[in-house]
Amino acid sequence: MKFRTRSSAIIGTICLATSLAFATAYADEPAAPPKAAAEVALTEVATAQNPVAGAAGPDGTVWIAERAGTVRVLDDQGLGEPVLDISDETSTDGERGLLGVAFDNELAHFYISYTDLEGTSTIDEFAVQSGAIQPDSRRTVLTQTQPYENHNGGDIKFGPDGYLYIALGDGGAGGDPHGNGQKLDTLLGKILRIDPSGAEPYAVPADNPFVDDPNAKDEIWSYGLRNPWRFSFDSGTGDMLIADVGQSDWEEIDWAPAGSEGGENYGWASMEGTHPFRGGTEPANHVPPVFEYDRNGLGCSVTGGYVYRGDAIPDLQGQYLYSDYCDGTVRGLTIENGQVTGQSDLGVNGGEVISFVEDGDGELYVLGLGGTISRIDPA
Ligand SMILES: [Ca+2]
Ligand SMILES: [Ca+2]
């Protein structure tokens, strides 16, 4: 395994944690029986300008978001010219930028998640026809003002239920100074669940967990999150996996079963991982992470990936892949009934891993913020 020394400029602008201990960002693996690792290789398929997110698009394509505000389409011919450019509307201060993209499950609409020039997290929708964005169809679905430049979250994904899930960080600074993680009257520090096609600008599904609670925002699906930096649904089971970046000590992976009715409290800022944070008391309804690692272990800023459901690497089937922005090693977890039953180190390093992308066949790509787009292939 390799440890990458990263430029201070990139650390300063995008690292997703606030107080970092780079000097100690590497040590022994935590004790756990290693699972027999699948033999994989990273194949660089393209380079881009700060690729930060992606989504499977029409006709086998993968759409790549560049942080400054452009979207480019990856196909067999490589990465094309931008099909969308909102760079003049996008802030890249702090951890801001174009941070997420998604298609609905019919590939009829394309969604972007970005921070505008005022620093407001913004979700916009475009109609897609014949594989092309229809610029005139653009409309804003949801906005959320941000008190600080970090912890914007920004990932967006459609669930198997056809609803749009949106990750928002706690608002930033450090230590959640406004207590947003545990507050139910703010969208910050949450995963939201909305139906963008149900009303203008969106509808709230009637079975969202807090629709009957007048003191809680109806859009909330789950809460107690610090900076959910990539979440996904297992395309085989529908289970939800969330990587939540820690404050100073603990990086974590959260898990919810496909049958969840929502309302999970993942604990921040009473808890960091399974540990009380700054004298916090564990909430009675705390859903602890299914996996955590400390800053002396696998890195300093977790990047969530996907459960592998492709065909190319049979030995990888069913493993949840993730990495760490500060370390770059691609790792796997086997999760059975909400318990980690195996860990693996895939022995490949994706650089400053900022995101994973799942294509239409279930194959996975690794995005390095420095510019690389790599596919995980059999070795
Ligand atoms: Ca409510
Ligand atoms: Ca937590």
Side-chain angles (χ1 to χ4, degrees):
M1 290 181 292
K2 294 178 289 187
F3 176 65
R4 293 174 55 88
T5 302
R6 299 164 314 136
S7 77
S8 58
I10 290 179
I11 293 170
T13 55
I14 191 73
C15 204
L16 306 164
T18 53
S19 56
L20 301 171
F22 297 109
T24 58
Y26 206 64
D28 294 338
E29 301 265 356
K35 182 184 166 80
E39 297 287 321
V40 306
L42 288 184
T43 305
E44 185 175 307
V45 295
T47 59
Q49 192 73 35
N50 300 137
V52 72
D59 304 317
T61 59
V62 171
W63 292 36
I64 299 292
E66 295 174 308
R67 186 183 167 219
T70 46
V71 176
R72 300 166 67 184
V73 178
L74 179 67
D75 61 18
D76 293 343
Q77 312 301 312
L79 193 64
E81 292 302 306
V83 295
L84 183 68
D85 185 348
I86 58 158
S87 53
D88 60 352
E89 305 173 47
T90 303
S91 168
T92 55
D93 295 339
E95 296 175 358
R96 294 169 172 167
L98 173 57
L99 300 176
V101 290
F103 284 90
D104 61 15
N105 294 343
E106 294 74 36
L107 302 178
H109 296 92
F110 181 67
Y111 296 83
I112 58 175
S113 167
Y114 65 103
T115 29
D116 74 8
L117 298 178
E118 280 71 53
T120 296
S121 291
T122 304
I123 314 294
D124 283 1
E125 176 196 85
F126 296 85
V128 176
Q129 289 177 5
S130 305
I133 287 175
Q134 307 298 302
D136 293 344
S137 69
R138 182 178 180 179
R139 72 182 183 96
T140 295
V141 175
L142 182 143
T143 62
Q144 171 62 51
T145 56
Q146 293 282 353
Y148 306 102
E149 291 180 352
N150 57 345
H151 304 183
N152 294 281
D155 201 7
I156 52 175
K157 298 269 166 41
F158 276 81
D161 54 14
Y163 294 133
L164 176 61
Y165 291 73
I166 301 166
L168 290 173
D170 65 7
D176 194 9
H178 304 292
N180 290 324
Q182 292 296 309
K183 281 183 186 165
L184 293 174
D185 60 355
T186 173
L187 301 183
L188 295 170
K190 308 296 185 297
I191 300 280
L192 313 180
R193 180 189 191 232
I194 63 171
D195 178 5
S197 63
E200 180 68 38
Y202 61 86
V204 171
D207 58 352
N208 267 16
F210 297 110
V211 291
D212 295 328
D213 180 347
N215 299 314
K217 293 280 193 185
D218 294 351
E219 294 89 341
I220 297 170
W221 178 250
S222 56
Y223 67 105
L225 294 158
R226 180 178 176 277
N227 189 25
W229 191 253
R230 305 325 192 192
F231 68 95
S232 65
F233 294 94
D234 181 339
S235 59
T237 64
D239 297 344
M240 187 178 197
L241 292 125
I242 307 164
D244 198 16
V245 178
Q247 174 72 35
S248 308
D249 297 316
W250 296 98
E251 303 298 312
E252 68 177 73
I253 308 289
D254 297 304
W255 177 91
S260 167
E261 296 177 348
E264 290 88 357
N265 178 3
Y266 293 112
W268 180 252
S270 300
M271 305 292 289
E272 184 179 8
T274 62
H275 313 268
F277 179 71
R278 293 183 183 168
T281 300
E282 183 168 21
N285 63 348
H286 179 218
V287 177
V290 68
F291 181 74
E292 66 179 346
Y293 61 91
D294 67 32
R295 293 281 174 84
N296 295 313
L298 309 184
C300 75
S301 186
V302 67
T303 296
Y306 290 84
V307 175
Y308 179 76
R309 297 293 179 188
D311 296 326
I313 315 167
D315 287 346
L316 208 54
Q317 209 25 258
Q319 284 193 49
Y320 174 70
L321 302 195
Y322 71 101
S323 186
D324 186 287
Y325 179 78
C326 305
D327 174 73
T329 302
V330 179
R331 300 174 189 278
L333 296 175
T334 303
I335 301 172
E336 298 176 274
N337 299 317
Q339 302 287 329
V340 170
T341 58
Q343 299 185 44
S344 62
D345 173 345
L346 299 187
V348 292
N349 193 298
E352 295 132 357
V353 176
I354 198 76
S355 205
F356 289 75
V357 187
E358 183 181 43
D359 75 12
D361 295 325
E363 303 303 331
L364 299 183
Y365 294 76
V366 178
L367 306 185
L369 188 66
T372 54
I373 302 171
S374 303
R375 189 178 56 232
I376 302 177
D377 286 337

